[in-house]
Amino acid sequence: MNHLEPTKTGFQSFEHAAADIVLAASFNSSGTRAVLCSADHKIRVYNIDRNNDVWTLADQWRGHDAEVLDVQWISSSFGQFFATIGGDNKFKLWREDPSQLFKSGRRFKCIYSQSPPNHVSYVSFGSKTIKHEIWLAMVTHDGFLNLLEAPDPESLSSWSPIASILPFGRHPRGTEAKFRMSFHQSEGPSSHAVLAGVDPGAISIAVSALKSIKVYRAIKPSDFPESNYQFCEMVEMRTDTTSINEIAWAPGCLHPCDVIAAACEDGSVRVFEIDTPRDLDGPPKGLTEKQSHSNENGLRKIAPSAIRNAPSGIGAGLAGISRHEAAARSDERNDLNIAHEWKEVAVLPHNDGSPVWKVRWTHDGSALASTGDSGIVHLWRESLSGGYVEFAETEPA
């Protein structure tokens, strides 16, 4: 079927036209359009008819030469954009062309395509928009995090690399670390972080692998405004007992501190809070060992000149590493000295105990959605007592 039928429960059953399993879906910021990607190599966009709440197929086409692994709308005031990654080792950015007919297979055009510089497939990506500035971050299967920005936010047809780092070190091929990333989508860091001294213009990114989540602040040095961003590793969190399948950083509208949710292999969703305590008239607070964990051993900074100062291709080859990896390894101690404390505030179990694969926050951070092998979507929100409770779920798929 090519449309979504409204139901009496408030949820709508998604009857898609894919010939194989749907691997990801994403809504635009207004909730009026949805894009699906699937294992049949195709991308499908749906529009909603507000008069009768029916979703109708707008267009479908072959987007990649392999399964389309993930899709996300990109917030922009210059048009309708979304991005995809596929099993063909491609990242693609698509833009709507209003001059083309709906259902023509040409309504959306690929305006940018990129392959990983280390020839290893992308496994996770995200975007962040602040007014007219847009950034992309992509993680490869062996753990490289690449950050890019758009010189021309109006066209988005070209992207400039900012930095490439290895958050968890070199990861051997043939093993699965489940690298995932998530931007903090608010315009600036959380209010507590800014009060503690974090640059209001910092870009915040979380990266996960196996049982760990690392939080970075990408900061442009004030002394050198034309230089690239510096990646500062602020804190590392751990689940200890289970691996992480996906992470999502809550928008800061309702949270004075940072909140990150993790979809876990043991059938639970874990919620972490990261705070930056600070005395009103002094430096950052000391640690409360019984209640939280911290980066007391110091921070790491990836210097903006790391890529320029990395060994040459010949020198790196003699050392047994690639130029790309050498650049990612070029780091030094960070002098920010801003304490970040973290604690696990909730463990939310799925009733069937199967792995949780997807987790997403609503646009204002007031609710959290999660789903796993059962196909049931669970909706959670924070209670008045400070814990998280489930307030709704869909019917089994």
Side-chain angles (χ1 to χ4, degrees):
M1 297 179 63
N2 293 337
H3 61 274
L4 305 177
E5 296 291 353
T7 65
K8 296 180 180 179
T9 63
F11 296 105
Q12 294 186 348
S13 177
F14 212 117
E15 296 291 343
H16 58 80
D20 208 331
I21 186 173
V22 173
L23 297 175
S26 179
F27 289 90
N28 66 352
S29 58
S30 61
T32 58
R33 312 188 87 170
V35 56
L36 280 69
C37 63
S38 53
D40 62 1
H41 308 185
K42 290 188 176 182
I43 301 168
R44 294 171 175 86
V45 176
Y46 289 82
N47 295 336
I48 191 171
D49 183 345
R50 288 299 193 187
N51 294 325
N52 52 21
D53 284 339
V54 172
W55 290 81
T56 304
L57 182 68
D59 207 357
Q60 61 177 329
W61 67 98
R62 184 185 178 94
H64 288 260
D65 293 328
E67 65 271 25
V68 189
L69 301 173
D70 199 4
V71 60
Q72 293 181 30
W73 282 96
I74 294 180
S75 177
S76 173
S77 59
F78 297 111
Q80 293 285 320
F81 300 88
F82 62 84
T84 57
I85 54 174
D88 55 357
N89 287 11
K90 293 285 188 180
F91 167 89
K92 292 186 177 183
L93 186 61
W94 306 86
R95 181 175 190 170
E96 185 175 24
D97 183 357
S99 68
Q100 298 295 321
L101 297 174
F102 288 108
K103 299 183 181 180
S104 65
R106 299 184 299 273
R107 181 76 180 184
F108 290 83
K109 293 184 177 180
C110 180
I111 60 171
Y112 179 78
S113 179
Q114 174 178 306
S115 297
N118 52 342
H119 308 293
V120 179
S121 60
Y122 293 120
V123 293
S124 181
F125 76 96
S127 66
K128 179 180 176 69
T129 302
I130 300 179
K131 297 179 180 178
H132 295 318
E133 295 184 280
I134 303 178
W135 294 266
L136 287 174
M138 292 166 277
V139 182
T140 56
H141 189 271
D142 58 352
F144 279 97
L145 172 66
N146 303 287
L147 183 64
L148 305 91
E149 63 179 343
D152 182 7
E154 185 172 354
S155 70
L156 299 186
S157 59
S158 64
W159 293 82
S160 300
I162 296 176
S164 179
I165 65 172
L166 270 170
F168 296 94
R170 185 70 175 178
H171 186 72
R173 295 189 181 187
T175 55
E176 181 56 66
K178 302 177 183 176
F179 292 105
R180 298 294 184 267
M181 63 77 52
S182 179
F183 276 106
H184 180 226
Q185 291 295 342
S186 298
E187 184 168 331
S190 65
S191 58
H192 282 189
V194 172
L195 288 174
V198 174
D199 188 336
I203 301 171
S204 302
I205 305 175
V207 188
S208 66
L210 297 176
K211 300 178 181 180
S212 296
I213 303 173
K214 288 188 176 184
V215 170
Y216 289 86
R217 310 282 191 189
I219 300 171
K220 183 168 286 189
S222 58
D223 296 338
F224 304 96
E226 300 302 321
S227 65
N228 286 338
Y229 285 82
Q230 296 173 340
F231 263 91
C232 303
E233 180 186 323
M234 311 307 292
V235 70
E236 179 177 1
M237 304 174 287
R238 293 187 59 84
T239 61
D240 290 331
T241 59
T242 183
S243 60
I244 298 168
N245 293 324
E246 190 176 68
I247 56 174
W249 197 323
C253 304
L254 302 176
H255 304 281
C257 60
D258 293 301
V259 181
I260 296 177
C264 297
E265 186 71 20
D266 65 354
S268 69
V269 176
R270 295 166 187 260
V271 182
F272 300 91
E273 285 187 358
I274 309 164
D275 208 353
T276 48
R278 185 176 185 275
D279 292 327
L280 293 179
D281 299 315
K285 287 183 179 180
L287 307 177
T288 306
E289 184 176 351
K290 293 183 180 180
Q291 296 180 347
S292 61
H293 312 267
S294 174
N295 59 339
E296 59 180 325
N297 293 326
L299 312 177
R300 291 197 308 149
K301 177 176 68 178
I302 309 302
S305 58
I307 294 179
R308 296 193 300 271
N309 297 333
S312 67
I314 296 176
L318 293 174
I321 59 176
S322 67
R323 180 179 175 86
H324 186 65
E325 182 177 351
R329 285 185 177 182
S330 299
D331 59 73
E332 57 189 73
R333 305 304 290 180
N334 184 356
D335 58 0
L336 289 181
N337 194 29
I338 300 174
H340 282 56
E341 298 179 358
W342 67 273
K343 59 183 177 179
E344 184 181 274
V345 296
V347 179
L348 312 175
H350 279 208
N351 295 332
D352 59 357
S354 62
V356 182
W357 296 106
K358 295 287 185 180
V359 63
R360 291 286 189 277
W361 293 92
T362 55
H363 70 283
D364 61 355
S366 63
L368 176 67
S370 61
T371 189
D373 285 343
S374 67
I376 299 174
V377 178
H378 302 260
L379 297 174
W380 316 83
R381 63 185 171 196
E382 192 171 7
S383 65
L384 295 177
S385 62
Y388 284 80
V389 296
E390 184 178 7
F391 68 92
E393 65 179 43
T394 64
E395 295 291 333

